[in-house]
Amino acid sequence: MPDISNEKSYADGKILQHAGDGVGVITFNNPDKRNAMSLEMWEGFGEALTALRDDDTVRVVILRGSGGKAFVSGADISQFEKTRHNAAASEEYARRSVAQRALLADYPKPTIACIQGFCLGGGMQVAMLADIRIASRDSQFGIPAARLGIAYGYDGLKHLVSLVGPSWARLLMYTGMRIDSAEALRIGLVERVFPEDQLWGETMAIAETISQNAPLAIKAAKITIAQVLKDESARDMDAIKAIGTACMDSADFREGRQAFMEKRKPKFQGK
């Protein structure tokens, strides 16, 4: 577990952030509402992401919910009468929250969603924007937009289709159904599932492994995978070539080779 003596809070304590040993952690901390996201929480989430992005000691970021009952159960519906009561208000809501989702979508460091309990609606959007999703056995997933009479956004559906395919996306969206972690694993919505008491330890083990690997090589993988997912005409092949060259010319590449020859664990610096 990272040292939490440097914990910071945003959105009146409903977003928490700390870092240690190369791992940053952002906690959605609104357990009384199953970590439902208010506009203030979206904005605080963006601030926490920015702080960890700009911290050179952080190599990987974990997202999690507090309370053990939910990752994020969706948007805070109690705010809807004020913030999303019609199309104009909803557009303003989207404007204020879209920047935070874009920040996560283009995040330069690896991100892991550690999911326990409910992961619904906007929580699904956050989880799908993470690079990796690890869930507890008691987790439940769903997008109840059809039950609320709202349209789930293009970006959210784009990620859903890319993970589970169009047929499962239709089934989830048309019915508003919830699925358990076993089904989520089977259809590709999550990558790993663990018992509740093992979830955090297993998530941290994966994060620590990532943090100890060569940052430039991981960055190269992240950039290249993102380009692979784009239409061929939109791919930035120059970016792929540039990061590949940076890796081959890096001190880390030399360190990796030397550590292998000396049969020791490499110490990567990210340069």
Side-chain angles (χ1 to χ4, degrees), residues 253-266:
F253 181 39
R254 292 192 296 275
E255 166 65 7
R257 299 196 312 271
Q258 189 171 350
F260 178 82
M261 297 301 295
E262 296 174 359
K263 298 182 178 179
R264 62 174 174 81
K265 191 173 183 178

Side-chain angles (χ1 to χ4, degrees), residues 80-94:
F80 277 22
E81 279 302 312
K82 179 180 179 181
T83 63
R84 301 180 75 178
H85 56 280
N86 59 26
S90 186
E91 186 173 341
E92 174 63 13
Y93 178 97

Side-chain angles (χ1 to χ4, degrees), residues 198-248:
Q198 297 177 27
L199 176 66
W200 182 247
E202 295 288 352
T203 302
M204 276 299 300
I206 292 170
E208 287 168 353
T209 297
I210 293 170
S211 73
Q212 292 165 12
N213 285 336
L216 284 175
I218 292 171
K219 184 177 180 179
K222 181 156 185 167
I223 288 172
T224 305
I225 291 168
Q227 297 304 317
V228 167
L229 293 173
K230 295 180 180 179
D231 290 336
E232 186 174 354
S233 62
R235 291 175 190 157
D236 187 349
M237 302 305 292
D238 289 339
I240 295 173
K241 182 177 180 181
I243 189 61
T245 300
C247 285
M248 297 304 292

Side-chain angles (χ1 to χ4, degrees), residues 13 27 38 41 54 58 60 67 83 87 91 99 132-133 147 169 226 249:
T27 304
S38 64
M41 287 177 68
D54 296 341
V58 172
V60 58
T83 63
E91 186 173 341
I132 300 166
R133 284 152 295 281
R147 297 182 178 183
D249 287 341

